Amino acid sequence: MSVTPYRHAAVAAGTVLLALTAAGCSGLDRTAVGTLVYESGHEHHTTVTSPRITGCHHFEPPGAVAVENNTGADAVVYPTDDCSGNESIYVPSMTSDVPGPDGGPWLSYSFVH
């Protein structure tokens, strides 16, 4: 009796299990490595270091009038609190954005992933 067929089956099962585990956890707690720097009113600068890639993030009140994306991921800034709206602006990695729509502040941001 040979144990080789059983060994191949065990290796194959282990490989599948490892691949499923890696795929299921790969997006968890992933960050946009680098900093997102934004300016609110009165030239107050805030730096966010390695923000999470997933979800909608909020700028501190009163919002951001300028955003500098020094992360490794592209971002989108929004004039709303819930990362929605037609007047959003795409801010590629390692660039800064233009002023908010109608001179108003940006209120939220998300990352493209």
Side-chain angles (χ1 to χ4, degrees), residues 72-95:
D74 296 345
V76 179
V77 293
Y78 302 89
T80 61
D81 256 345
D82 61 355
C83 293
S84 67
N86 293 332
E87 296 186 30
S88 62
I89 297 290
Y90 186 83
V91 185
S93 175
M94 302 305 196
T95 61

Side-chain angles (χ1 to χ4, degrees), residues 7-100:
R7 187 173 296 156
H8 289 296
V11 169
T15 302
V16 169
L17 183 60
L18 181 61
L20 289 174
T21 302
C25 297
S26 64
L28 298 177
D29 293 330
R30 203 172 104 204
T31 62
V33 177
T35 60
L36 185 89
V37 180
Y38 63 93
E39 179 185 336
S40 58
H42 310 296
E43 295 186 19
H44 175 76
H45 290 85
T46 301
T47 301
V48 181
T49 303
S50 296
R52 294 180 88 174
I53 279 284
T54 58
C56 179
H57 307 279
H58 298 96
F59 293 112
E60 291 179 17
V65 295
V67 177
E68 187 176 328
N69 181 8
N70 294 319
T71 70
D74 296 345
V76 179
V77 293
Y78 302 89
T80 61
D81 256 345
D82 61 355
C83 293
S84 67
N86 293 332
E87 296 186 30
S88 62
I89 297 290
Y90 186 83
V91 185
S93 175
M94 302 305 196
T95 61
S96 58
D97 85 306
V98 295

